[in-house]
Coordinates of all heavy atoms in Angstrom, one line a residue:
S64 N -52.3 -48.4 -31.8 CA -51.0 -48.7 -32.2 C -50.8 -50.2 -32.4 O -50.1 -50.7 -33.3 CB -50.0 -48.2 -31.2 OG -50.1 -46.8 -31.0
R65 N -51.3 -51.0 -31.4 CA -51.2 -52.5 -31.5 C -51.8 -53.0 -32.8 O -51.3 -53.9 -33.4 CB -51.9 -53.1 -30.3 CG -51.9 -54.6 -30.2 CD -52.8 -55.2 -29.2 NE -52.5 -54.6 -27.8 CZ -51.4 -55.0 -27.1 NH1 -50.7 -56.0 -27.5 NH2 -51.2 -54.5 -25.9
R66 N -53.0 -52.5 -33.1 CA -53.7 -52.9 -34.4 C -52.8 -52.7 -35.6 O -52.6 -53.6 -36.4 CB -55.0 -52.2 -34.6 CG -56.2 -52.8 -33.8 CD -57.5 -52.5 -34.4 NE -57.8 -51.1 -34.6 CZ -58.2 -50.6 -35.7 NH1 -58.4 -51.3 -36.8 NH2 -58.5 -49.3 -35.8
L67 N -52.3 -51.5 -35.7 CA -51.5 -51.2 -36.9 C -50.2 -52.1 -36.9 O -49.8 -52.7 -38.0 CB -51.1 -49.7 -37.0 CG -50.2 -49.4 -38.2 CD1 -51.0 -49.4 -39.4 CD2 -49.5 -48.1 -38.0
L68 N -49.5 -52.1 -35.8 CA -48.2 -52.8 -35.8 C -48.4 -54.3 -35.9 O -47.6 -55.0 -36.6 CB -47.5 -52.5 -34.4 CG -47.0 -51.1 -34.3 CD1 -46.4 -50.9 -32.9 CD2 -46.1 -50.7 -35.4
A69 N -49.5 -54.9 -35.4 CA -49.8 -56.3 -35.6 C -50.0 -56.6 -37.1 O -49.5 -57.6 -37.6 CB -51.0 -56.8 -34.8
A70 N -50.7 -55.7 -37.8 CA -51.0 -55.9 -39.2 C -49.7 -55.8 -40.0 O -49.4 -56.5 -40.9 CB -52.0 -54.8 -39.7
A71 N -48.8 -54.8 -39.6 CA -47.6 -54.6 -40.3 C -46.7 -55.8 -40.1 O -46.0 -56.3 -41.0 CB -46.9 -53.3 -39.7
K72 N -46.7 -56.3 -38.9 CA -45.8 -57.5 -38.6 C -46.2 -58.7 -39.4 O -45.4 -59.4 -40.0 CB -45.9 -57.9 -37.1 CG -44.9 -58.8 -36.6 CD -44.9 -59.0 -35.1 CE -43.8 -59.8 -34.5 NZ -43.7 -59.9 -33.1
S73 N -47.5 -58.9 -39.6 CA -48.0 -60.0 -40.4 C -47.7 -59.9 -41.9 O -47.6 -60.8 -42.6 CB -49.6 -60.2 -40.2 OG -50.2 -59.1 -40.9
L74 N -47.4 -58.6 -42.3 CA -47.0 -58.4 -43.7 C -45.5 -58.5 -43.8 O -44.9 -58.3 -44.9 CB -47.4 -57.0 -44.1 CG -48.9 -56.8 -44.5 CD1 -49.2 -55.4 -44.8 CD2 -49.3 -57.7 -45.7
G75 N -44.8 -58.7 -42.7 CA -43.3 -58.8 -42.8 C -42.5 -57.6 -42.5 O -41.3 -57.6 -42.6
F76 N -43.2 -56.5 -42.1 CA -42.5 -55.3 -41.7 C -41.8 -55.5 -40.3 O -42.4 -56.1 -39.4 CB -43.4 -54.1 -41.6 CG -43.9 -53.6 -42.9 CD1 -45.1 -54.0 -43.5 CD2 -43.1 -52.6 -43.6 CE1 -45.6 -53.5 -44.7 CE2 -43.6 -52.2 -44.9 CZ -44.8 -52.6 -45.4
K77 N -40.6 -54.9 -40.2 CA -40.0 -54.7 -38.8 C -40.8 -53.5 -38.2 O -41.4 -52.7 -38.9 CB -38.5 -54.4 -38.9 CG -37.7 -55.6 -39.4 CD -36.3 -55.2 -39.7 CE -35.5 -56.4 -40.2 NZ -34.3 -56.0 -40.9
L78 N -40.8 -53.5 -36.9 CA -41.6 -52.5 -36.2 C -40.8 -51.5 -35.4 O -39.7 -51.8 -34.9 CB -42.5 -53.2 -35.2 CG -43.3 -54.4 -35.7 CD1 -44.2 -55.0 -34.6 CD2 -44.2 -54.0 -36.9
R79 N -41.3 -50.3 -35.4 CA -40.8 -49.2 -34.5 C -41.9 -48.5 -33.8 O -43.0 -48.4 -34.4 CB -40.0 -48.2 -35.4 CG -38.9 -48.7 -36.2 CD -38.2 -47.5 -36.9 NE -37.3 -48.0 -37.9 CZ -36.2 -48.6 -37.6 NH1 -35.8 -48.8 -36.3 NH2 -35.4 -49.1 -38.5
V80 N -41.7 -47.9 -32.7 CA -42.7 -47.1 -32.0 C -42.1 -45.8 -31.5 O -41.2 -45.9 -30.7 CB -43.3 -48.0 -30.8 CG1 -44.5 -47.2 -30.2 CG2 -43.7 -49.4 -31.2
H81 N -42.7 -44.7 -31.9 CA -42.5 -43.5 -31.2 C -43.3 -43.5 -29.9 O -44.5 -43.5 -30.0 CB -42.9 -42.3 -32.1 CG -41.8 -41.9 -33.0 ND1 -41.3 -42.7 -34.0 CD2 -41.2 -40.7 -33.2 CE1 -40.4 -42.1 -34.7 NE2 -40.3 -40.8 -34.3
A82 N -42.6 -43.6 -28.8 CA -43.3 -43.9 -27.5 C -42.9 -42.9 -26.4 O -41.7 -42.5 -26.3 CB -43.0 -45.3 -27.1
D83 N -43.9 -42.6 -25.5 CA -43.6 -42.0 -24.2 C -42.8 -40.6 -24.4 O -42.0 -40.3 -23.6 CB -42.8 -42.9 -23.3 CG -43.5 -44.2 -23.0 OD1 -44.7 -44.4 -23.4 OD2 -42.9 -45.1 -22.4
E84 N -43.1 -39.9 -25.5 CA -42.4 -38.6 -25.7 C -42.9 -37.6 -24.6 O -42.2 -36.9 -24.0 CB -42.6 -38.1 -27.1 CG -41.9 -36.7 -27.3 CD -42.0 -36.1 -28.7 OE1 -42.7 -36.8 -29.5 OE2 -41.4 -35.1 -28.9
I85 N -44.3 -37.6 -24.5 CA -44.9 -36.7 -23.5 C -45.5 -37.4 -22.3 O -45.2 -37.1 -21.2 CB -45.9 -35.8 -24.2 CG1 -45.2 -35.0 -25.3 CG2 -46.6 -34.9 -23.3 CD1 -46.0 -34.7 -26.6
D86 N -46.3 -38.4 -22.6 CA -47.0 -39.2 -21.6 C -46.6 -40.7 -21.8 O -46.5 -41.2 -22.9 CB -48.5 -39.0 -21.7 CG -48.9 -37.6 -21.4 OD1 -48.4 -37.0 -20.5 OD2 -49.8 -37.1 -22.2
E87 N -46.6 -41.4 -20.6 CA -46.4 -42.8 -20.7 C -47.8 -43.5 -20.8 O -48.4 -43.7 -19.8 CB -45.7 -43.3 -19.4 CG -45.1 -44.7 -19.5 CD -44.3 -45.0 -18.2 OE1 -44.4 -44.4 -17.2 OE2 -43.6 -46.0 -18.3
I88 N -48.2 -43.8 -22.0 CA -49.5 -44.4 -22.2 C -49.4 -45.9 -22.8 O -50.4 -46.4 -23.3 CB -50.4 -43.6 -23.2 CG1 -49.8 -43.5 -24.6 CG2 -50.6 -42.2 -22.6 CD1 -50.8 -43.0 -25.6
G89 N -48.2 -46.5 -22.6 CA -48.1 -47.9 -23.0 C -47.3 -48.2 -24.2 O -47.2 -49.3 -24.6
G90 N -46.7 -47.2 -24.8 CA -46.0 -47.4 -26.1 C -44.8 -48.2 -25.9 O -44.5 -49.1 -26.7
A91 N -44.0 -48.0 -24.8 CA -42.8 -48.8 -24.6 C -43.2 -50.3 -24.3 O -42.5 -51.2 -24.8 CB -42.0 -48.2 -23.4
Q92 N -44.2 -50.5 -23.5 CA -44.7 -51.9 -23.2 C -45.1 -52.6 -24.5 O -44.7 -53.7 -24.7 CB -45.9 -51.9 -22.3 CG -45.5 -51.7 -20.8 CD -45.7 -50.3 -20.4 OE1 -45.2 -49.3 -21.0 NE2 -46.3 -50.0 -19.3
L93 N -45.8 -51.8 -25.4 CA -46.2 -52.4 -26.7 C -45.0 -52.8 -27.5 O -44.9 -53.8 -28.1 CB -47.1 -51.4 -27.4 CG -47.7 -51.8 -28.7 CD1 -48.6 -53.0 -28.5 CD2 -48.4 -50.6 -29.4
A94 N -44.0 -51.9 -27.6 CA -42.8 -52.1 -28.4 C -42.1 -53.4 -27.9 O -41.7 -54.3 -28.7 CB -41.8 -50.9 -28.3
G95 N -42.0 -53.5 -26.5 CA -41.4 -54.7 -26.0 C -42.2 -56.0 -26.2 O -41.6 -57.0 -26.6
E96 N -43.5 -55.9 -26.1 CA -44.3 -57.0 -26.3 C -44.3 -57.6 -27.7 O -44.3 -58.8 -28.0 CB -45.8 -56.6 -26.0 CG -46.8 -57.7 -25.8 CD -48.2 -57.1 -25.6 OE1 -48.3 -56.2 -24.7 OE2 -49.1 -57.4 -26.3
L97 N -44.2 -56.6 -28.7 CA -44.2 -57.0 -30.1 C -42.8 -57.3 -30.7 O -42.7 -57.6 -31.8 CB -45.0 -56.0 -31.0 CG -46.5 -55.8 -30.7 CD1 -47.0 -54.7 -31.5 CD2 -47.2 -57.1 -31.0
G98 N -41.8 -57.1 -29.8 CA -40.4 -57.3 -30.3 C -40.0 -56.3 -31.3 O -39.4 -56.7 -32.3
A99 N -40.4 -55.0 -31.1 CA -40.0 -54.0 -32.1 C -38.5 -53.9 -32.2 O -37.7 -54.1 -31.3 CB -40.6 -52.6 -31.7
L100 N -38.0 -53.4 -33.4 CA -36.6 -53.2 -33.7 C -36.1 -52.1 -32.8 O -35.1 -52.1 -32.2 CB -36.4 -52.8 -35.1 CG -35.1 -52.9 -35.8 CD1 -34.5 -54.3 -35.7 CD2 -35.1 -52.5 -37.3
S101 N -37.0 -51.0 -32.7 CA -36.6 -49.9 -31.8 C -37.8 -49.1 -31.3 O -38.9 -49.3 -31.8 CB -35.7 -48.9 -32.7 OG -36.6 -48.2 -33.6
A102 N -37.6 -48.4 -30.2 CA -38.6 -47.4 -29.7 C -37.9 -46.1 -29.6 O -36.7 -46.0 -29.1 CB -39.1 -47.9 -28.4
E103 N -38.5 -45.0 -30.0 CA -37.9 -43.7 -30.1 C -38.5 -42.8 -29.0 O -39.6 -43.0 -28.6 CB -38.1 -43.0 -31.4 CG -37.2 -43.5 -32.5 CD -37.3 -44.9 -33.0 OE1 -38.4 -45.5 -32.8 OE2 -36.3 -45.5 -33.5
H104 N -37.7 -41.9 -28.6 CA -38.0 -40.8 -27.6 C -37.9 -41.3 -26.1 O -36.9 -41.1 -25.5 CB -39.4 -40.2 -27.8 CG -39.5 -39.3 -28.9 ND1 -38.8 -38.1 -28.9 CD2 -40.2 -39.3 -30.1 CE1 -39.1 -37.5 -30.0 NE2 -39.9 -38.2 -30.8
L105 N -38.9 -42.0 -25.6 CA -38.9 -42.6 -24.3 C -38.5 -41.7 -23.1 O -38.0 -42.0 -22.1 CB -37.8 -43.8 -24.3 CG -38.1 -44.8 -25.4 CD1 -36.9 -45.8 -25.4 CD2 -39.4 -45.6 -25.2
I106 N -38.9 -40.4 -23.3 CA -38.7 -39.4 -22.3 C -39.4 -39.7 -21.0 O -38.8 -39.5 -19.9 CB -39.1 -38.0 -22.9 CG1 -38.1 -37.5 -24.0 CG2 -39.1 -36.9 -21.7 CD1 -38.6 -36.2 -24.7
A107 N -40.6 -40.2 -21.1 CA -41.4 -40.4 -19.9 C -41.4 -41.9 -19.4 O -42.1 -42.2 -18.5 CB -42.9 -40.0 -20.2
T108 N -40.6 -42.7 -20.1 CA -40.6 -44.1 -19.8 C -40.0 -44.4 -18.4 O -39.0 -43.9 -18.0 CB -39.7 -44.9 -20.8 OG1 -40.3 -44.6 -22.1 CG2 -39.8 -46.4 -20.6
G109 N -40.8 -45.2 -17.6 CA -40.4 -45.6 -16.3 C -39.9 -47.0 -16.2 O -39.6 -47.6 -17.3
E110 N -39.8 -47.6 -15.0 CA -39.3 -49.0 -14.9 C -40.1 -50.0 -15.7 O -39.5 -50.9 -16.3 CB -39.4 -49.4 -13.4 CG -38.4 -48.6 -12.5 CD -37.1 -49.3 -12.3 OE1 -36.9 -50.4 -12.7 OE2 -36.2 -48.6 -11.7
R111 N -41.4 -50.0 -15.6 CA -42.2 -51.0 -16.3 C -42.0 -51.0 -17.8 O -41.8 -52.0 -18.4 CB -43.7 -50.8 -16.0 CG -44.3 -51.6 -14.9 CD -45.8 -51.5 -14.8 NE -46.5 -51.9 -16.0 CZ -47.7 -51.5 -16.2 NH1 -48.4 -50.7 -15.4 NH2 -48.4 -51.9 -17.3

Side-chain angles (χ1 to χ4, degrees):
S64 301
R65 179 190 304 281
R66 276 206 302 131
L67 178 72
L68 293 177
K72 194 171 187 176
S73 70
L74 284 172
F76 287 94
K77 291 171 181 162
L78 308 180
R79 304 183 188 290
V80 187
H81 275 57
D83 303 353
E84 180 179 0
I85 297 146
D86 298 316
E87 192 175 18
I88 64 164
Q92 281 96 313
L93 184 63
E96 193 184 309
L97 293 176
L100 199 57
S101 70
E103 278 69 23
H104 285 295
L105 307 173
I106 289 173
T108 303
E110 292 267 351
R111 261 185 64 199

